[in-house]
Amino acid sequence: MHPSGCWQTVRVTSSDTASDTANAVPEELGEAAREFVLPLVVRIEKDAPPDRTDALETAARAVLTLLSDERARTVGGTDGEWARAVRDWQDSRIRKVVRRARGKEWRKAAALPGITVTGDRAEVRVFPPVPLDGWPKELARLQVSGTELDELAPPAAPGARAAVMWLNPGLEMSAGKAMAQVGHGAQLTWWMLPDEEREVWRKSGFPLAVRTAGAERWAELTASGLPVVHDAGYTEIAPGSCTVVGDHPALRGRVSDL
């Protein structure tokens, strides 16, 4: 067991803060060495904020929606318009930044190239990756810290065929931090799936749930061989902390029994 509370399994080093500029690339290294980040913007209106779990689940589905979009892929040897940026981003750390917007700020963000994904009440817009030092001004001015949401009612048990992004019960994270982490978990899960299972998941609208595991269940999950997210530790939690396990029905038969 790792000191952070998770077994050493499938691993991604992740960060999810726009304020991390320590890895700025020297100009002489050129464009290929630049670090990229995936922006997500959650709509939080003062009079109608989404529930926390709804926002987390919508953020995870937004990441999957972008990854599966033809604009983000190479199809028949031809790159979609976002494919180069997605490759550059995935070749490094899969960094994600979650910011919040409302009113005029949301409308400006929604006018930029991207995809808006909706939940029960949540709306999250995901954008193609951008260089760490090259954010569009409409997104750069949005708030990144302090994104918090309430849970108005306990979420129902996830369906038997839904993927579940399990959160570490021993960690406290803001809603913005947790949205980025479940996005990492969804992405790792996507990578582990066979192509045919990816297509089934995509066609069904990426059904998934975000839940917090019990302590005993968490220990089983992190030892199971399912994809596990380890955070880089730039914000809120210690480096190497295990934050999310991605549990998809199609993976359960490919890893050790839980």
Side-chain angles (χ1 to χ4, degrees):
M1 178 80 68
H2 188 272
S4 62
C6 49
W7 297 92
Q8 297 300 290
T9 54
V10 178
R11 179 183 178 121
V12 59
T13 301
S14 67
S15 69
D16 49 28
T17 171
S19 60
D20 170 33
T21 56
N23 294 317
V25 176
E27 187 175 346
E28 61 269 20
L29 293 184
E31 184 75 20
R34 297 176 75 184
E35 187 168 359
F36 283 71
V37 63
L38 186 77
L40 298 104
V41 175
V42 56
R43 185 178 186 181
I44 304 181
E45 301 289 348
K46 283 186 176 180
D47 58 347
D51 283 10
R52 179 185 174 99
T53 296
D54 186 18
L56 267 59
E57 292 173 348
T58 304
R61 287 193 294 110
V63 171
L64 293 165
T65 300
L66 181 131
L67 290 173
S68 63
D69 193 281
E70 286 193 357
R71 289 167 291 182
R73 299 186 292 118
T74 301
V75 180
T78 301
D79 277 353
E81 60 186 287
W82 301 340
R84 170 69 184 276
V86 170
R87 278 199 305 272
D88 289 343
W89 167 61
Q90 292 190 129
D91 284 347
S92 184
R93 290 173 294 179
I94 55 170
R95 301 184 65 175
K96 299 175 181 68
V97 174
V98 178
R99 297 188 172 185
R100 64 183 185 271
R102 64 172 182 261
K104 183 185 297 185
E105 293 175 334
W106 172 259
R107 291 190 292 274
K108 287 182 177 179
L112 297 176
I115 305 169
T116 297
V117 176
T118 59
D120 290 337
R121 293 174 58 185
E123 292 181 72
V124 175
R125 189 162 181 84
V126 60
F127 303 88
V130 297
L132 186 61
D133 59 354
W135 282 69
K137 64 181 186 301
E138 295 88 349
L139 303 183
R141 64 185 55 165
L142 299 178
Q143 293 290 325
V144 66
S145 61
T147 301
E148 194 47 87
L149 296 166
D150 294 326
E151 199 73 79
L152 300 182
R161 296 300 302 167
V164 183
M165 302 298 117
W166 293 103
L167 293 165
N168 186 336
L171 294 177
E172 292 187 7
M173 295 183 282
S174 68
K177 178 77 172 182
M179 288 170 70
Q181 296 298 308
V182 297
H184 297 327
Q187 185 166 358
L188 289 184
T189 302
W190 176 257
W191 284 351
M192 282 191 70
L193 286 172
D195 288 345
E196 60 273 18
E197 292 294 346
R198 289 183 181 180
E199 186 63 9
V200 170
W201 202 17
R202 183 191 67 80
K203 285 185 174 179
S204 60
F206 297 116
L208 61 81
V210 175
R211 299 292 185 270
T212 300
E216 184 175 344
R217 175 66 168 162
W218 181 251
E220 295 172 348
L221 286 163
T222 56
S224 69
L226 291 167
V228 180
V229 179
H230 294 248
D231 189 60
Y234 290 106
T235 61
E236 298 191 26
I237 56 179
S241 295
C242 181
T243 57
V244 175
V245 174
D247 178 12
H248 189 284
L251 294 180
R252 293 169 193 159
R254 295 163 56 92
V255 300
S256 58
D257 293 336
L258 297 180

